[in-house]
Amino acid sequence: MDAATPAAAQFELNGDQRAIQEMTAAFAAEKVAPYALEWDKERHFPSDVIRETGALGFGGIYIGDDVGGSGLGRLDAVLIFEALAAACPGFSSMISIHNMAAWMIDTFGSEEQRQRFLPAMTSLEWLASYCLTEPGSGSDAAALKTRAVRAGGNGSDYTLNGTKQFISGAGDSDVYVVMARTGDDGPKGVSTFVVPKDAPGLKFGPAENKMGWHMQPTRQVIFEDCKVPAENLLSGEGAGFRIAMAGLDGGRLNIAACSLGGAQSALDKALSYAGERVAFGKAINQFQALQFKLADMEIELQASRIMLYTAASKLDRKAHDAGKWSAMAKRFVTDTCFDIANDALQIHGGYGYLHEYGVEKLVRDLRVHQILEGTNEIMRLIVARHLIGR
């Protein structure tokens, strides 16, 4: 993590935060990096290794310690996801999604719900997925169609019908935090439910054949008269859209951190290759054109790191402009870091296109970060509204 030093100095990371970086990097180097290409090639979901991170506190990074969480801040979380993503962005992003789902229960659930769900989630005995996007509603999240209707004696249950699209971990996760419509069209009619995997009527589509993130399954989550106890509703009817939007600020920082870690790995690979590859009688890193390219990659990487750490610090402090900074960091970091990974592939020439060098995997994995947690076009819209509203 030497490349993190400038940002570390800027934000005066304390001893505990440096220890978090070192612990995470050591775990990733031993348990993730040696197997990432194989997982990608075989489309293998290493749920056993993901669950191992529960012992490190990664199942509830910013969850209360009374339910087994680590009680850390958003900057701490960014350091963890960045270090994990240097080994495999898809691995890191799955843990990020789990943490976002757990945070929603921790923040908006009743004390009974927190005690019922979170201890098994923070230990990663239970893995969680988040279900917002639908086949016809992505960026327009308030237009979702999945519906929940009161059923059972005295309204003791809800019946859910509908389909969620692009759900990471679907079919393998144990818990699903689901946004469903309980009222009229629009944001005020959306509610949030915690749905266990064994809920009657919960089904899953086939695994999607994706460009990247091959190591984690992505499927539709299908509700066909799915029965969910009313006690699994978070914060009452109509609170769902507010819960979803509140979770996205942190989720955007997390996915930006996954891009940052992947881009750092890509730059490291490019530096190593450029020092070894000989052309026209000398190592290619001796050519000024390539030196300028490497310098620009480093400048852009450090700018991304500083912007992301700034945004995370603002969210920790609950600064009034934290939402704007989360959107800015997500847009800037995911776009910039994808470009860095793509430049690293170009530096490798034809070898960059081969799976065994690991660079093309990083390009494929980082591309989706520009889409999820709100597309980067939506990030621009959020920033513009902050500016105009000001």
Side-chain angles (χ1 to χ4, degrees), residues 1-300:
M1 298 293 291
D2 287 345
T5 301
Q10 172 75 18
F11 289 91
E12 298 182 350
L13 298 187
N14 59 39
D16 289 342
Q17 288 170 324
R18 292 185 181 279
I20 288 170
Q21 284 182 317
E22 293 170 3
M23 174 190 70
T24 308
F27 175 88
E30 178 185 358
K31 297 286 190 174
V32 181
Y35 312 104
L37 287 177
E38 179 184 351
W39 294 340
D40 179 80
K41 182 179 180 180
E42 301 298 328
R43 285 170 164 75
H44 171 69
F45 183 51
S47 59
D48 55 336
V49 183
I50 289 174
R51 294 180 194 277
E52 279 187 48
T53 69
L56 303 178
F58 295 172
I61 297 171
Y62 34 81
I63 307 302
D65 57 10
D66 63 313
V67 287
S70 298
L72 298 176
R74 294 296 184 161
L75 179 54
D76 304 318
V78 160
L79 300 176
I80 290 169
F81 294 127
E82 179 186 354
L84 289 174
C88 177
F91 185 95
S92 184
S93 63
M94 188 66 232
I95 297 176
S96 163
I97 292 164
H98 168 88
N99 272 271
M100 182 166 67
W103 177 85
M104 290 178 174
I105 298 172
D106 188 44
T107 303
F108 296 99
S110 67
E111 187 58 29
E112 185 276 330
Q113 289 169 330
R114 293 180 69 254
Q115 297 296 333
R116 178 154 50 98
F117 292 113
L118 289 174
M121 294 172 70
T122 55
S123 67
L124 274 169
E125 176 187 349
W126 292 350
L127 184 62
S129 290
Y130 175 54
C131 302
L132 174 62
T133 300
E134 296 185 358
S137 63
S139 296
D140 188 6
L144 62 85
K145 300 298 183 184
T146 296
R147 182 163 290 277
V149 178
R150 280 276 191 176
N154 299 319
S156 58
D157 297 317
Y158 282 86
T159 300
L160 274 63
N161 282 284
T163 300
K164 297 296 182 178
Q165 184 76 32
F166 306 131
I167 307 305
S168 295
D172 288 86
S173 290
D174 306 284
V175 175
Y176 299 84
V177 176
V178 179
M179 302 298 165
R181 186 164 300 286
T182 53
D184 296 336
D185 292 345
K188 294 182 180 179
V190 179
S191 300
T192 304
F193 297 87
V194 182
V195 182
K197 184 178 181 179
D198 60 359
L202 178 62
K203 301 179 181 179
F204 306 97
E208 302 285 1
N209 189 14
K210 310 188 297 289
M211 174 182 176
W213 278 17
H214 288 170
M215 55 68 59
Q216 58 167 266
T218 301
R219 297 183 174 90
Q220 287 187 331
V221 175
I222 303 165
F223 305 96
E224 294 182 354
D225 292 331
C226 178
K227 296 292 187 287
V228 179
E231 63 189 17
N232 288 18
L233 171 68
L234 293 185
S235 289
E237 290 190 5
F241 191 76
R242 176 172 59 89
I243 294 172
M245 295 302 103
L248 284 175
D249 280 345
R252 287 162 183 160
L253 297 181
N254 294 350
I255 210 64
C258 293
S259 285
L260 186 62
Q264 180 68 67
S265 178
L267 176 56
D268 290 344
K269 290 178 185 295
L271 286 167
S272 177
Y273 181 82
E276 298 169 358
R277 176 75 163 93
V278 174
F280 306 103
K282 57 184 176 181
I284 62 174
N285 67 4
Q286 297 305 301
F287 293 99
Q288 191 176 67
L290 187 56
Q291 291 174 354
F292 285 178
K293 173 59 70 178
L294 291 168
D296 283 343
M297 292 163 71
E298 171 69 0
I299 291 165
E300 290 160 1

